[in-house]
Amino acid sequence: MDQEEGLKALDNIVTQFNTYEDFLDSQITTVDLYYLEDETLARQLVELGYRGTGERVKREDFEARKAAIEISRLAERAQQKTLTSAGKDLQDNFLMALAMREEDNRNGKLSVLIPRTFPNKWLEH
């Protein structure tokens, strides 16, 4: 498995589980718990790679990737997108009305429908 595939696999694991312990618990079978009789010991064996039904992931890797994904998600959310109408000198009332509603349209607060019956000259600007 190359590095890119490894990161994709880790991303899938990180997004699937809230905590590292949840990930470890997913690797433990009921048979493991029956014989070991200790959940903490079963988790340690999975963490060390001696037991488990899936891929071995270190705690540091899990937590670092979890933090990176969260930072990326927050940055994407905070990023302001430039409005299409920004900086344009709009003379047409129709285009000015659309420009006033553009931000609400992008945020999903408003929907503007443009019927096909509008003259093409309004859409040429």
Side-chain angles (χ1 to χ4, degrees):
M1 179 179 344
D2 67 347
Q3 187 175 4
E4 188 175 324
E5 288 177 358
L7 281 177
K8 284 183 182 179
L10 180 58
D11 284 352
N12 288 338
I13 290 169
V14 167
T15 55
Q16 187 177 359
F17 300 101
N18 291 328
T19 64
Y20 186 67
E21 285 72 23
D22 291 342
F23 165 69
L24 294 176
D25 290 346
S26 75
Q27 303 288 309
I28 299 170
T29 65
T30 54
V31 175
D32 294 336
L33 290 175
Y34 175 78
Y35 285 108
L36 294 172
E37 297 178 354
D38 184 10
E39 189 175 272
T40 305
L41 179 59
R43 284 180 179 167
Q44 288 174 345
L45 290 174
V46 170
E47 190 169 2
L48 294 171
Y50 293 113
R51 290 294 300 151
T53 57
E55 186 165 341
R56 180 174 178 234
V57 176
K58 296 178 185 175
R59 180 180 297 272
E60 297 82 29
D61 294 341
F62 182 92
E63 291 174 354
R65 197 65 192 150
K66 187 83 160 173
I69 288 173
E70 182 65 17
I71 288 169
S72 174
R73 188 183 65 79
L74 291 174
E76 186 177 309
R77 179 190 278 176
Q79 184 182 26
Q80 285 288 344
K81 295 184 179 168
T82 305
L83 298 177
T84 305
S85 60
K88 300 237 174 33
D89 183 27
L90 304 174
Q91 303 296 323
D92 190 287
N93 289 337
F94 174 71
L95 294 177
M96 286 190 289
L98 283 178
M100 289 176 13
R101 294 166 174 80
E102 183 179 359
E103 186 171 3
D104 287 340
N105 253 319
R106 285 188 179 209
N107 294 333
K109 295 177 185 176
L110 180 72
S111 292
V112 174
L113 301 175
I114 303 172
R116 290 183 178 191
T117 58
F118 280 116
N120 285 338
K121 69 175 184 150
W122 287 357
L123 302 176
E124 290 174 359
H125 292 283

